[in-house]
């Protein structure tokens, strides 16, 4: 999550949706914010008391954290945006990410089918800290009653154009979108990883994301 009081925006960062590129491209705006030093110091000092102020949030905080910790007027006036991604494509990205970054977790897994069965196994120990994409993307953008709180939802599939639109709404010239590391060994078409059974398993687990964001297994023409 990236908050800028000077430019009046809040970026909600969902993992594996291009968010690191967005954050790094917008970070200079935050560093030039006249409130940045005060926010940084207050955040560090408040942590000593065991009570963190809502001025600096963890990278993958949900928007409800900002709503609960920021003054209501401040939160309401922020331009709040997020980037989301097709759930089937996101799980392919997750597969390559974990295999690359934490291979010891997948020592018993050879195929993508096995990965999805392991990942969605209700008996598997809770491992959110290892793979945030097990959670619903929609959980990051709604309040406790399921109401969507963001003003703009960009899509990973349209990253450059939607990033430019977000910057236009912020009121700044869009900086060059920094590209982050992508898996070199993944196939371009995520659909090639799926059997009908595994595709249905992902559809069932991420049904609310599919409904809210309007995704389908086959990309829209």
């Amino acid at each position: 999550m990236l908050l800028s009081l000077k430019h009046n925006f809040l970026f909600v960062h969902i993992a594996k949706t291009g968010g690191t590129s967005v954050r790094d491209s917008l970070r200079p705006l935050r560093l030039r914010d006249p409130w940045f030093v005060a926010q940084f110091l207050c955040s560090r000092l408040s942590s000593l008391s065991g009570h963190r102020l809502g001025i600096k949030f963890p990278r993958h905080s949900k928007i409800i954290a900002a709503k609960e910790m920021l003054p209501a007027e401040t939160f309401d006036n922020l331009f709040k945006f997020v980037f989301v991604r097709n759930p089937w494509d996101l799980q392919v990205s997750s597969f390559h990410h974990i295999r690359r970054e934490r291979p010891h977790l997948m020592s018993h897994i050879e195929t993508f089918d096995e990965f999805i069965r392991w990942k969605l196994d209700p008996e598997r120990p809770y491992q959110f800290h290892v793979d945030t994409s097990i959670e619903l993307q929609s959980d990051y953008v709604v309040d406790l009653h399921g109401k969507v709180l963001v003003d703009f939802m960009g899509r990973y599939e349209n990253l450059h154009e939607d990033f430019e639109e977000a910057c236009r709404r912020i009121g700044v010239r869009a900086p060059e979108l920094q590209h982050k590391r992508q898996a070199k060994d993944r196939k371009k078409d995520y659909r090639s990883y799926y059997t009908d059974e595994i595709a249905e398993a992902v559809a069932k687990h991420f049904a609310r994301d599919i409904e809210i964001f309007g995704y389908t297994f086959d990309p829209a023409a």
Side-chain angles (χ1 to χ4, degrees):
M1 186 176 285
L2 188 66
L3 170 66
S4 172
L5 296 178
K6 176 182 179 180
H7 295 282
N8 203 45
F9 71 81
L10 179 72
F11 169 58
V12 180
H13 183 179
I14 300 175
K16 311 304 294 177
T17 63
T20 299
S21 295
V22 172
R23 278 177 56 92
D24 288 353
S25 297
L26 293 177
R27 191 186 305 275
L29 296 180
R30 182 169 181 267
L31 296 178
R32 293 195 295 267
D33 193 322
W35 287 100
F36 174 73
V37 174
Q39 287 178 279
F40 178 81
L41 291 175
C42 287
S43 177
R44 287 299 180 92
L45 291 173
S46 69
S47 66
L48 297 177
S49 69
H51 176 72
R52 298 191 68 88
L53 301 176
I55 49 181
K56 186 176 183 297
F57 297 95
R59 177 182 293 263
H60 296 302
S61 293
K62 298 178 175 63
I63 197 170
I64 189 63
K67 180 176 176 60
E68 291 184 347
M69 298 183 72
L70 291 171
E73 183 177 1
T74 299
F75 179 83
D76 292 341
N77 289 330
L78 290 169
F79 168 62
K80 300 171 281 288
F81 69 106
V82 70
F83 278 83
V84 298
R85 186 173 185 173
N86 184 305
W88 290 279
D89 183 35
L90 189 147
Q91 298 314 311
V92 173
S93 178
S94 170
F95 170 66
H96 286 283
H97 174 78
I98 296 178
R99 188 165 65 174
R100 180 182 67 244
E101 301 295 336
R102 292 182 170 85
H104 61 284
L105 295 176
M106 295 177 58
S107 59
H108 62 295
I109 295 174
E110 295 184 1
T111 67
F112 180 71
D113 279 25
E114 293 174 340
F115 170 73
I116 292 297
R117 295 179 193 280
W118 167 74
K119 186 172 184 178
L120 301 184
D121 182 357
E123 301 299 322
R124 181 171 71 98
Y126 184 66
Q127 291 180 330
F128 170 72
H129 64 287
V130 172
D131 179 21
T132 56
S133 62
I134 189 64
E135 288 206 331
L136 298 179
Q137 296 177 69
S138 52
D139 284 348
Y140 284 79
V141 301
V142 300
D143 64 13
L144 297 178
H145 303 287
K147 178 183 177 182
V148 175
L149 297 179
V150 295
D151 303 302
F152 177 68
M153 288 190 289
R155 293 178 181 264
Y156 176 85
E157 298 79 17
N158 199 37
L159 183 61
H160 288 270
E161 292 83 355
D162 286 352
F163 177 66
E164 290 182 357
E165 174 61 17
C167 290
R168 186 190 69 80
R169 297 198 190 189
I170 292 170
V172 299
R173 182 178 179 179
E176 182 179 357
L177 191 60
Q178 300 182 28
H179 295 278
K180 294 301 171 184
R181 180 175 55 184
Q182 297 180 347
K184 296 180 179 180
D185 57 340
R186 70 159 286 176
K187 301 173 188 176
K188 186 173 182 180
D189 189 344
Y190 62 84
R191 292 172 297 179
S192 64
Y193 286 79
Y194 284 92
T195 62
D196 290 344
E197 180 183 0
I198 295 301
E200 181 59 30
V202 170
K204 182 177 180 180
H205 184 83
F206 297 99
R208 189 166 61 170
D209 285 357
I210 293 167
E211 177 183 2
I212 291 178
F213 304 135
Y215 279 113
T216 57
F217 181 70
D218 293 308

